[in-house]
Amino acid sequence: MKIDMSHGAGGEMMQSLISSIILQNINNKSINGGIGLEELDDGATIPLDDYEIVITTDGHTVDPIFFPGGDIGRISIAGTVNDIAVMGTKPLALTNSMIISEGFSMEDLEKIIKSMDQTCQEADVSIVTGDTKVMEKDKLDKIIISTTGIGIAKKGDIITDSGLEIGDKIILSGSIGDHGIAIMSYREGFGFETDLKSDVGPIWNIVEEAMKIGGIKAMKDPTRGGLANTLNEMSSKSKLGMLIDEDKVPIKEPVHAVSEMLGIDPYEVANEGKVVLGVEAEKADQILDAIKKTENGKDAQIIGEVTDDNHVIMKTSLGGKRILEAPIADPVPRVC
Ligand code: MG
């Protein structure tokens, strides 16, 4: 058997590769009783006295490297700091490993670095160490950027993606499909002159406002595999189900139109500036109000609730119900 593109596209194919080849062949998967590799959460933790070091890592292969609303530099920062943020922890610092193809434009590299710096300033994080390597042309497609993020939380403050309880409300911080559909439409030749822009950006500000109120049971960022994958992962890890109201899930008009035209389900494509929160029902309205006051969370909605079912059920606009399945693979490869 050989690896194919769907093994890296954040759905059931990738999950099975991780379970069969990776998890089975690594013996040491956690340290000091912290969250480790086995949990497949957004990040891991290393308990140390009264604190936990929160760590995550992410390689970025997005194609194209410049796209409407962002570039590989911005996504390399946002992708990683957001995985720290959804652990309930403020991201502090990053490492940056770049592998660059021989012949790559210096001007483009400088643009990418400036974009990383800009995103770091927005997220209030620092790049504290890095590595730069070059490979022969034809052996690498332009550039790959891998970043590792770190944060420090007080012991007990960590929020996982699996703590849901029956009756909790599900909050989504804004519209879905913006990133995956922007990438796809650019590849299809729509160019930069489009209403479709990626949502790529840091989301710690949203998490911070929500955490001030408290009552967050679980969090995750709906990246590869989209909202469909994230809701299924959160509910299956909590061994519960969800009832989601389709009318409450924000989808921008151009995203809707292009999705239909390309035959892609916006529920299954990556978002790079959104967060899904499972929260105590009594606190849900207050958390929603707080999130709506942030610029990148102004379209947030309570989209559903946790049930004792073991499926994610969608109440459709027409009044019917259907199971919202996790995708086999994100329909748009190399999206981050
Ligand atoms: Mg994540």
Side-chain angles (χ1 to χ4, degrees):
M1 283 238 305
K2 297 227 162 92
I3 300 284
D4 66 48
M5 291 306 287
S6 60
H7 284 118
E12 286 180 355
M13 293 285 283
M14 191 176 86
Q15 287 297 333
S16 75
L17 177 77
I18 292 171
S19 311
S20 62
I21 308 279
I22 301 176
L23 293 184
Q24 284 211 10
N25 289 293
I26 294 178
N27 283 293
N28 299 351
K29 291 195 266 267
S30 69
I31 191 160
N32 292 352
I35 296 168
L37 194 58
E38 200 83 57
E39 278 88 339
L40 299 178
D41 208 324
D42 300 279
T45 71
I46 302 168
L48 209 65
D49 300 328
D50 298 332
Y51 295 91
E52 294 195 55
I53 298 167
V54 181
I55 185 165
T56 193
T57 194
D58 209 335
H60 298 88
T61 62
V62 64
D63 174 41
I65 54 175
F66 297 100
F67 51 83
D71 55 65
I72 193 170
R74 184 166 179 79
I75 207 168
S76 297
I77 304 303
T80 297
V81 296
N82 290 349
D83 275 337
I84 297 284
V86 294
M87 300 295 287
T89 308
K90 186 192 181 305
L92 291 179
L94 290 162
T95 71
N96 171 30
S97 158
M98 295 187 295
I99 307 176
I100 308 163
S101 172
E102 178 187 18
F104 192 79
S105 148
M106 291 243 192
E107 288 74 31
D108 282 352
L109 182 62
E110 190 171 14
K111 256 164 74 179
I112 290 166
I113 299 292
K114 284 184 167 165
S115 175
M116 292 177 97
D117 180 59
Q118 165 68 33
T119 315
C120 280
Q121 291 189 46
E122 282 172 43
D124 188 29
V125 296
S126 299
I127 296 174
V128 291
T129 187
D131 179 52
T132 306
K133 297 218 166 70
V134 177
M135 276 175 70
E136 298 92 337
K137 56 172 162 268
D138 308 331
K139 290 197 176 166
L140 175 69
D141 185 13
K142 300 183 192 77
I143 185 168
I144 294 174
I145 303 180
S146 299
T147 52
T148 296
I150 196 164
I152 297 172
K154 284 218 186 80
K155 204 165 252 176
D157 281 359
I158 299 290
I159 299 170
T160 67
D161 58 5
S162 59
L164 297 174
E165 292 177 283
I166 295 168
D168 289 345
K169 299 288 182 189
I170 303 298
I171 297 176
L172 168 65
S173 69
S175 60
I176 58 164
D178 300 21
H179 179 70
I181 299 298
I183 294 269
M184 199 58 202
S185 59
Y186 185 79
R187 285 191 205 153
E188 291 289 311
F190 293 13
F192 277 89
E193 289 69 45
T194 160
D195 296 338
L196 279 167
K197 289 212 175 10
S198 166
D199 58 351
V200 57
I203 47 113
W204 167 250
N205 63 322
I206 294 175
V207 173
E208 189 178 27
E209 291 308 312
M211 284 180 72
K212 281 181 194 160
I213 291 155
I216 304 171
K217 303 277 194 67
M219 266 194 294
K220 203 162 189 64
D221 53 340
T223 53
R224 281 174 299 171
L227 185 65
N229 198 60
T230 293
L231 295 179
N232 274 285
E233 208 175 325
M234 291 174 85
S235 55
S236 71
K237 282 180 172 176
S238 306
K239 300 191 171 57
L240 291 168
M242 289 182 191
L243 182 64
I244 300 295
D245 187 347
E246 185 174 30
D247 288 336
K248 291 282 162 57
V249 176
I251 300 181
K252 287 180 182 142
E253 190 40 48
V255 169
H256 187 74
V258 172
S259 299
E260 291 228 311
M261 191 161 59
L262 299 175
I264 292 172
D265 182 353
Y267 278 79
E268 296 187 353
V269 306
N271 309 276
E272 291 292 342
K274 298 288 157 26
V275 54
V276 176
L277 307 93
V279 307
E280 276 171 29
E282 311 78 66
K283 300 244 168 85
D285 288 329
Q286 220 185 325
I287 293 174
L288 181 68
D289 287 345
I291 292 176
K292 275 177 167 293
K293 286 190 185 115
T294 64
E295 177 55 32
N296 48 352
K298 61 181 189 303
D299 298 327
Q301 291 283 348
I302 296 171
I303 60 166
E305 63 181 25
V306 180
T307 65
D308 62 358
D309 205 319
N310 46 21
H311 292 291
V312 178
I313 307 284
M314 177 101 93
K315 203 167 71 187
T316 68
S317 301
L318 300 171
K321 282 183 181 173
R322 68 178 175 90
I323 294 177
L324 182 69
E325 305 261 22
I328 302 297
D330 191 312
V332 187
R334 283 189 66 184
V335 75
C336 60

